[in-house]
Amino acid sequence: MSRLAAVVLCAASLTAAQASPASAAGRVDKKISFSFLREMETSTWNQKRGSTSFTLTRCRSQQTFYAELRRSVFGPDIKLEGHTLKCVKGKRAFFTAPDPGTYYFYLNKLHDGEPVEGNATIGYPN
């Protein structure tokens, strides 16, 4: 009986472990590097509508900067929401992409001569 309980418990934990990758199957994590004194644009990506995250994974200084999600369209790009972030590993901001399309982040900061350098992961629905 105890052996049967162990088998059931093991099977349940394997099923739970496999549920996580399946639930994350509709998301992409794009890794980027950034380095700027005043402003920069990230590369673009295509995504479905939904929640987009910007997570800092490495920072060389603890500078504060502004990250704004933009949608690339014919004519002037559409400025969506933005958040102020301090460049500290693990900081995260969430943005809403209202429609499927091509997106990018516009990053900027005060012109103080101090660079912002680091890496981040952009998470979005595909």
Side-chain angles (χ1 to χ4, degrees), residues 41 44-47 69-80 97-105:
E41 294 177 355
T44 61
W45 67 89
N46 294 315
Q47 75 168 67
L69 182 64
R70 292 185 176 180
R71 182 167 179 222
S72 181
V73 295
F74 182 73
D77 291 345
I78 300 170
K79 297 177 182 180
L80 299 166
D99 298 302
T102 301
Y103 289 86
Y104 65 95
F105 279 104

Side-chain angles (χ1 to χ4, degrees), residues 30-34 54-58 65 118-122:
K30 175 185 175 94
K31 296 179 182 182
I32 63 162
S33 294
F34 55 88
F54 187 94
T55 306
L56 295 163
T57 57
R58 183 185 70 82
F65 67 97
N119 297 22
T121 300
I122 300 169

Side-chain angles (χ1 to χ4, degrees), residues 15-107:
T15 302
Q18 291 175 353
S20 296
S23 63
R27 291 197 61 83
V28 172
D29 288 326
K30 175 185 175 94
K31 296 179 182 182
I32 63 162
S33 294
F34 55 88
S35 178
F36 61 98
L37 287 172
R38 176 73 175 114
E39 62 186 273
M40 76 167 275
E41 294 177 355
T42 66
S43 59
T44 61
W45 67 89
N46 294 315
Q47 75 168 67
K48 293 180 181 176
R49 83 185 280 263
S51 178
T52 303
S53 63
F54 187 94
T55 306
L56 295 163
T57 57
R58 183 185 70 82
C59 291
R60 293 197 64 189
S61 66
Q62 292 191 351
Q63 293 289 322
T64 299
F65 67 97
Y66 186 73
E68 181 178 73
L69 182 64
R70 292 185 176 180
R71 182 167 179 222
S72 181
V73 295
F74 182 73
D77 291 345
I78 300 170
K79 297 177 182 180
L80 299 166
E81 65 186 304
H83 296 283
T84 300
L85 293 165
K86 187 170 188 175
C87 199
V88 175
K89 181 180 178 180
K91 290 283 185 184
R92 178 181 291 181
F94 292 94
F95 304 80
T96 301
D99 298 302
T102 301
Y103 289 86
Y104 65 95
F105 279 104
Y106 170 75
L107 310 175

